[in-house]
Amino acid sequence: MSTSADQEISGVFTREFELEGLDKTLLFNQKEWGDVSCVIWDASLVLARYLEKRSKENPSFLKNVKTLELGAGVGCVGIVAACFGANVTVTDLPSVLPLLQLNIKENKNVWASGGGQVRATELSWGKMINELESPDLLLLADCVYYSESIIPLVETMKQISTRETEIIICQEQRDSEKQRAIWKEFMSELTKFFQFNPIPTEEQHPLFKSPDILLLRGGLLP
């Protein structure tokens, strides 16, 4: 691609995402190198395909649903939700926003045709949230990497959620002892305030699911 936004983001390549049943294709700009927020990770694919499958089974599932994604990265999950009619805000750190905004702009013809909306805004976990409204649906894909981010992430989830907010978390379970310990620490902190249940594999996309990728659905404790 040759847009001016590309010239500001070096080392970019594109990946196609075909929307089943809509006969449309999204194009996501990704980075050739980086640590996090640079490519579409497997957990994002699993969550995006789950939203797609659920929308195909119930076309009203995402229609006009106020949706917020934390740690959106390149924007795959949130943009897919918008394609099925959701009103989406994707959030991440300031350094990630240029790529997020590029992907929103270059896929506008697709998500707008689905009746949805999507915008990107800066959000640092653990800081006070003033301008964001509590969503109907809160999405997280592969947000748990570092021990120091656990309490800020859970605090942000508490601030932004209401009793009516449905929360869906998708996380790849990595093999290292360190990552297993971080996930255990996250779940210990999370379940002080929230309750979650695994989404059965039969409810997930038949091709985009894995025993190594957890898909959880829940919300605030009563």
Side-chain angles (χ1 to χ4, degrees), residues 29 38 55 66 96 103 120 141 182 191 193 205-206:
N29 295 274
C38 56
S55 296
K66 187 163 51 179
V96 181
N103 283 328
I182 289 171
T191 51
F193 313 100
H205 191 283

Side-chain angles (χ1 to χ4, degrees), residues 51 54 60-69 81 85-89 132-140 157 160-168 217-220:
L51 297 177
R54 199 165 158 185
S60 66
F61 165 52
L62 289 172
K63 293 293 185 184
N64 301 313
V65 170
K66 187 163 51 179
T67 302
L68 180 72
E69 184 181 5
N87 183 354
V88 183
T89 300
L132 293 175
E133 296 181 35
S134 295
D136 305 310
L137 179 63
L138 180 62
L139 303 172
L140 299 84
M157 294 173 66
I160 200 67
S161 300
T162 69
R163 301 292 182 198
E164 289 71 40
T165 301
E166 178 181 3
I167 306 172
I168 304 177
R217 182 170 55 217
L220 281 167

Side-chain angles (χ1 to χ4, degrees), residues 77-182:
V77 172
I79 291 173
V80 167
C83 290
F84 290 92
N87 183 354
V88 183
T89 300
V90 290
T91 67
D92 216 309
L93 296 172
S95 60
V96 181
L97 289 189
L99 193 58
L100 256 179
Q101 291 167 333
L102 175 63
N103 283 328
I104 290 170
K105 177 183 177 182
E106 297 201 349
N107 288 292
K108 183 176 181 179
N109 64 319
V110 182
W111 55 257
S113 69
Q117 301 179 47
V118 58
R119 68 183 183 100
T121 190
E122 173 188 342
L123 180 60
S124 298
W125 300 339
K127 296 186 178 180
M128 289 300 296
I129 298 171
N130 296 317
E131 73 283 1
L132 293 175
E133 296 181 35
S134 295
D136 305 310
L137 179 63
L138 180 62
L139 303 172
L140 299 84
D142 250 356
C143 285
V144 183
Y145 283 103
Y146 307 115
S147 181
E148 58 267 26
S149 71
I150 289 173
I151 290 178
L153 173 56
V154 174
E155 181 61 30
T156 294
M157 294 173 66
K158 286 165 54 183
Q159 287 185 46
I160 200 67
S161 300
T162 69
R163 301 292 182 198
E164 289 71 40
T165 301
E166 178 181 3
I167 306 172
I168 304 177
I169 298 175
C170 194
Q171 180 75 26
E172 183 173 353
Q173 299 293 281
R174 291 169 173 84
D175 291 334
S176 74
E177 183 176 341
K178 179 180 179 182
Q179 286 299 314
R180 288 195 297 270
I182 289 171

